[in-house]
Amino acid sequence: MSHAPSPAGPSNAARPVPASAAQAAVGPRPARGGTALVTGASSGIGAAVARRLAAEGSWRLALNGRDVTRLEQVAAQSAAIALPADLTRPGAGRRLTGLALDHLGRLDLLVAGAGVGWAGEFAGMPATRIDEVVGVDLLATVHLVRTVLPHMVAAGNGRIVLVGSLAGSVGVRGEAVYSAAKAALATFADCLRYELRGTGVGVSHVVPGVVDTPFFDRRGTPYARSWPRPVPVERVADAVCAAVLHGRDEVYVPGWLRLPARVRGAAPGLYRRLAARFG
């Protein structure tokens, strides 16, 4: 593949190109269309985002997921290219980036929506599931961003959307590893945003709470709480598109979920007492 700059090798290629004073004043531009790569697109949030972007009519899409059959179905509905791959495999992010660039020519938007979960006491969590949750929810995304980012920086334009979770903002009982992986993703988003200032590349962190998707069935434990109630997956897809369109750094879905995150930050002792009592 002839795309430049090469995403392989040490970190120098991923560092933003030094900008002049005029360039440094230019922030990321809101996007109303272009080319996009969406991961986790075989179902759930990723599939909803793909459908939402396709409905805009101004995006050319490449979709990634591990379930080939479901991914091809979503791609057919979205007039998109299906690029199935397991992003936890070594080098998968680099190969996916190359294929997406081959098909689309450039990448204006990356929506990292792949994610898996596991619920239960940490002491009883199998080691293989620890590796899977961290591998899918954190490492695969970090490696993929590492390969996509130099192309966006070289173009002076682009947006990366990381789909996190409220569990990463406040921590959730029985989801220690999932919460830890999503918390790391949130910090990763912050750090990238600081590094990319002046490059024209933006980073959005979309933070949903409980979403009505097959996620809970696949993690092995269905969602059993009466509150908060799951929100439709389309609401998260709308939030992703709003973040892209308006260049927003962080979006909670629904918006009131920002409150517990703020309480935890402002009064951690009070928050922990409330969380211990109400779960």
Side-chain angles (χ1 to χ4, degrees):
M1 299 173 186
S2 59
H3 308 291
S6 170
S11 60
N12 288 342
R15 293 175 185 167
V17 178
S20 66
Q23 290 172 322
V26 178
R29 297 189 294 273
R32 296 182 179 272
T35 60
L37 171 61
V38 182
T39 70
S42 56
S43 67
I45 293 173
V49 169
R51 291 190 293 266
R52 181 68 171 76
L53 290 173
E56 292 285 319
S58 55
W59 292 92
R60 291 188 295 123
L61 303 174
L63 308 182
N64 165 260
R66 293 193 288 185
D67 188 308
V68 177
T69 301
R70 287 204 306 261
L71 182 68
E72 290 178 345
Q73 291 172 348
V74 176
Q77 296 167 357
S78 309
I81 299 162
L83 300 176
D86 181 350
L87 294 181
T88 64
R89 300 289 180 87
R94 175 177 53 80
R95 290 189 293 272
L96 177 60
T97 300
L99 288 170
L101 288 169
D102 282 342
H103 286 288
L104 301 176
R106 68 181 194 275
L107 281 175
D108 301 312
L109 172 64
L110 168 64
V111 179
V116 296
W118 190 90
E121 295 297 320
F122 174 67
M125 187 175 186
T128 55
R129 296 307 300 273
I130 294 174
D131 293 342
E132 182 185 19
V133 171
V134 175
V136 173
D137 294 354
L138 178 61
L139 295 180
T141 296
V142 169
H143 285 300
L144 180 60
V145 171
R146 172 63 182 82
T147 64
V148 168
L149 189 57
H151 300 279
M152 289 184 174
V153 172
N157 179 59
R159 179 156 294 271
I160 294 167
V161 178
L162 304 178
V163 179
S165 170
L166 181 67
S169 300
V170 299
V172 175
R173 178 188 298 166
E175 298 184 37
V177 175
Y178 177 75
S179 296
K182 290 298 187 178
L185 198 67
T187 302
F188 178 59
D190 281 339
C191 295
L192 278 184
R193 205 174 291 118
Y194 303 147
E195 290 184 17
L196 294 173
R197 183 181 179 187
T199 66
V201 181
V203 180
S204 296
H205 181 215
V206 176
V207 188
V210 185
V211 185
D212 187 10
T213 72
F215 174 87
F216 293 99
D217 294 332
R218 291 180 189 146
R219 75 177 186 177
T221 305
Y223 184 73
R225 298 183 183 184
S226 59
W227 186 87
R229 296 189 63 81
V231 300
V233 68
E234 291 78 15
R235 191 165 174 182
V236 183
D238 288 345
V240 169
C241 290
V244 173
L245 179 61
H246 300 292
R248 293 174 179 165
D249 290 344
E250 191 169 65
V251 182
Y252 281 78
V253 188
W256 66 265
L257 288 179
R258 187 180 296 272
L259 177 60
R262 287 180 172 174
V263 171
R264 182 182 181 276
L270 171 63
Y271 177 83
R272 292 189 185 106
R273 289 193 296 272
L274 291 172
R277 181 176 179 182
F278 299 107

